[in-house]
Amino acid sequence: RNFQPFFDQWVFRGGHPELKASYAWGAEKRTATLTLTQTQDPAQDTGLFRLPVRLAFRVGRLTERRTVTLTEKEQVFTFKLPGRPRWVRVDPEGWLLKTLDFPRPFDLLKTQLTEDPDCLGRIEAAQGLAKLSTPEAFQALGRALREDRFWGVQIEIAKALGGTKAPRALGLLLEALSLKHPKARRAAVEALGEFREPRVARALKPVLASDPSYYVEAAAARALGRTRDGAAFDLLEGALRKLSHAEVVRSGAFAGLAELEEDRAFALVRRWTTRGFPELARTAAIRALGAMAEGRPAWQRQASECLTELLEEPSFRIRMAVL
């Protein structure tokens, strides 16, 4: 087989296809119509791609699979199916290096979110529902956030909800603070950092104080800083007194302090870069100091002088953090 065309488009030209898909169902003839468009600029080096695209149509309890070859900027494909699909997916196994914009109606996305056995399919559906941002979409997302059997899907649902920054999403994320799996709970906490409301800070305070997971407490510290709440500094300063494995909680507290535009936060972080504090805590403070100085001329000189002195430290870990 001649693989020259494959290497020409994927390696020598480089880049990847940017796909947009649209779907329509013809009830009379029982036909599914899928339109695929390559939206990348053909004038660029990547040009148009020639690639096989796998499709999946869930009809009843069976999945009808088809493969089409995309060669043009826009192509329309029609398939005869035994019934109306419950959901439709493009490249369901994720074989293609691509971007995909595939808006679908609520009913298809909801069914895919609740019934697709593939976790990637459920994540895809959750992201699509978040873009709809309708009351029905938020209701479906909230239920899936509570009930999905895989914490990885719960994480992506929480991220999608946080990205909407909608009041309905905020309520669902506050409820998710009681999720059982710590990784899912951590994602809900991190997503709450997208909202600058007093009730978010109030909800994060007990999480920072006594969550069973150090990593959830660290996420709460970061999120608190992002809220810029008036009580954030005192809470984060208090978190620096907490011992944890690998200084996880203190690292989160420093990341939260780095979000505050306060001189007292800068002074506190700088103090923790000095000798006498645990090495892992110092490295976290060093990273936070650099983040605070970036884009803030008032702090850049002080941070630069502090970091330059730390280059003389005997600890390799400290010097790497400085760099």
Side-chain angles (χ1 to χ4, degrees):
R1 294 177 61 186
N2 180 9
F3 275 90
Q4 188 64 36
F6 175 88
F7 286 100
D8 280 343
Q9 68 180 14
W10 290 103
V11 179
F12 301 128
R13 291 205 313 249
H16 60 267
E18 300 172 12
L19 304 181
K20 182 176 178 63
S22 62
Y23 160 80
W25 170 250
E28 292 185 3
K29 297 183 179 180
R30 291 190 174 187
T31 54
T33 301
L34 197 74
T35 302
L36 292 175
T37 306
Q38 299 191 53
T39 61
Q40 74 273 9
D41 186 356
Q44 299 299 319
D45 291 339
T46 54
L48 293 176
F49 281 76
R50 178 185 179 90
L51 66 160
V53 181
R54 297 183 180 182
L55 310 172
F57 302 89
R58 185 71 170 188
V59 181
R61 295 185 177 182
L62 299 177
T63 301
E64 300 282 339
R65 301 187 182 275
R66 304 287 189 275
T67 301
V68 298
T69 301
L70 189 60
T71 59
E72 301 174 12
K73 182 174 180 60
E74 180 175 293
Q75 290 176 252
V76 180
F77 304 95
T78 302
F79 309 97
K80 186 80 171 179
L81 297 175
R84 181 175 182 174
R86 297 175 59 77
W87 70 77
V88 181
R89 294 185 61 190
V90 174
D91 186 31
E93 293 87 4
W95 284 112
L96 295 176
L97 177 67
K98 68 184 185 308
T99 61
L100 175 64
D101 179 14
F102 187 14
R104 279 151 286 179
F106 169 76
D107 60 333
L108 291 183
L109 291 171
K110 179 185 177 183
T111 308
Q112 182 175 329
L113 178 64
T114 57
E115 299 181 10
D116 194 338
D118 179 15
C119 62
L120 293 179
R122 301 200 300 278
I123 290 171
E124 177 186 282
Q127 293 167 342
L129 286 168
K131 291 179 181 179
L132 293 180
S133 292
T134 62
E136 296 81 9
F138 282 122
Q139 184 178 8
L141 288 169
R143 181 175 180 178
L145 180 58
R146 295 188 302 271
E147 299 179 1
D148 196 278
R149 56 192 177 275
F150 178 40
W151 55 263
V153 175
Q154 291 176 309
I155 286 175
E156 296 302 326
I157 294 173
K159 288 181 181 178
L161 286 170
T164 69
K165 299 183 180 180
R168 286 181 179 268
L170 172 55
L172 295 172
L173 290 169
L174 289 172
E175 293 175 4
L177 293 179
S178 61
L179 290 173
K180 291 183 179 181
H181 200 288
K183 291 184 179 180
R185 201 163 61 251
R186 189 199 321 178
V189 167
E190 290 174 344
L192 284 170
E194 299 288 345
F195 301 88
R196 294 186 179 179
E197 292 193 21
R199 58 174 172 159
V200 174
R202 290 195 298 270
L204 291 175
K205 181 179 178 179
V207 178
L208 176 60
S210 59
D211 193 274
S213 167
Y214 288 143
Y215 291 93
V216 176
E217 291 181 341
R222 290 191 296 270
L224 262 172
R226 293 170 63 194
T227 66
R228 307 279 176 86
D229 187 82
F233 176 82
D234 291 335
L235 292 172
L236 294 173
E237 184 181 31
L240 294 179
R241 294 192 288 269
K242 177 170 286 192
L243 299 175
S244 61
H245 168 69
E247 300 290 355
V248 168
V249 175
R250 282 174 176 159
S251 296
F254 286 125
L257 288 166
E259 297 286 344
L260 302 180
E261 298 178 347
E262 301 182 29
D263 288 334
R264 57 179 178 168
F266 181 82
L268 178 61
V269 170
R270 181 175 180 177
R271 183 164 64 87
W272 274 78
T273 66
T274 59
R275 293 187 182 184
F277 295 104
E279 185 180 60
L280 290 177
R282 291 181 68 197
T283 60
I286 288 167
R287 289 192 295 269
L289 190 72
M292 297 179 84
E294 186 173 356
R296 299 185 178 107
W299 292 341
Q300 284 178 351
R301 180 177 178 181
Q302 298 178 59
S304 178
E305 291 174 352
C306 174
L307 295 174
T308 302
E309 292 177 2
L310 291 171
L311 281 173
E312 303 300 324
E313 286 279 333
S315 167
F316 174 77
R317 183 180 282 118
I318 294 291
R319 296 199 306 274
M320 287 298 296
V322 169
L323 292 173

